Amino acid sequence: MSAVLFTLLDHVRVEASHFGRIELGAPWGSRIGERDNVSIHHVVEGELWIDIDGVTRHVMAGDLLVLPRGIPHVLRHAQDAPIARDDWSEPAIDDLAVHRVLGGDGARTVVLCASLELNGPARSLLVRALPVLLHLKGERGEAVPGLTRLLDGIRDELRQRRSASSRFATRFAEMLLFQAVRSAFERSEASAFARSPLADPRLGRALDALYRHPERNWTVVTLARVAGQSRSSFARHFHELVGETPLRHLTRFRIESAKERLVREPGVGIAES
């Protein structure tokens, strides 16, 4: 697995999380609108179909879906089922109550949903580097290692409502997301990450060095040397996969890192951050 993935996760955190348990009776179908967050759907019972960005997947009980970019998608009980509702409501924070939001008296599908707000200086690259859909199958056990324990931790915190329960639940959700990203990267077909900077060893080396030592006086030449490429090839390759020039990316990372430190340590001066 690319070493830069671990470095990226060091610079990303889940700031807030919302949870919900939704029961659906066939026939049902819903279009989920664009959201500025990461969506997670865990099918506890039954089955569903998801359509997202031209991709259609059949999802069975035990499967875990992660939608890193919050782009619109359609969920329904059968592949050709009509859409009966435009959107699900956002899961409520600290709430795992049952919501039968739509559907009839047919086969039941139960979905645990989470909506996660990501922050951190590496957030944009992580989101860009991931496919629009991570589909982790649970047919041979847990969809990701430790899934049951993580979900139990979230449920226990929200039900017991102890001090700082929402914060603890958010940390469990963060571990679930990171575990899902790692598992997807390890299991995925090469094509799913073919255009991802996480899967490119040359770009990964440069990004790993940049994130570990952002204080260094990096230039395109020195980063290209780390990547093992010529300056022109590296600059073109970097822009193609990351979406901006190396030095612009470094500048933005430094600014976002400084903002993070000012939030965590209000007493720190701007020059120190």
Side-chain angles (χ1 to χ4, degrees), residues 2-4 194-210 218 220 222-230 232-238 240-242 246:
S2 175
V4 71
R195 305 304 298 166
S196 169
L198 298 182
D200 188 291
R202 296 168 299 175
L203 200 55
R205 287 194 298 269
L207 286 167
D208 188 57
L210 185 154
W218 292 109
V220 176
T222 56
L223 286 170
R225 191 174 298 133
V226 172
Q229 293 180 278
S230 69
S232 58
S233 294
F234 171 75
R236 182 174 61 254
H237 193 52
F238 191 101
E240 182 181 357
L241 293 188
V242 179

Side-chain angles (χ1 to χ4, degrees), residues 157-168:
E157 290 298 333
L158 299 184
R159 285 171 178 166
Q160 294 178 23
R161 297 187 181 276
R162 299 161 61 191
S163 58
S165 279
S166 61
R167 180 166 295 185
F168 276 87

Side-chain angles (χ1 to χ4, degrees), residues 81-147:
I83 298 170
R85 180 168 174 162
D86 285 338
D87 208 345
W88 286 359
S89 58
E90 186 82 1
I93 194 165
D94 295 353
D95 184 13
L96 281 177
V98 174
H99 304 281
R100 182 175 289 279
V101 294
L102 53 95
D105 298 324
R108 191 173 76 145
T109 298
V110 179
V111 185
L112 295 180
C113 300
S115 175
L116 311 181
E117 179 185 326
L118 286 188
N119 280 300
R123 173 191 179 277
S124 61
L125 180 61
L126 179 64
V127 170
R128 180 184 177 89
L130 296 175
V132 297
L133 173 66
L134 304 179
H135 180 189
L136 296 146
K137 297 184 178 181
E139 55 193 11
R140 292 187 295 272
E142 293 183 320
V144 300
L147 175 63

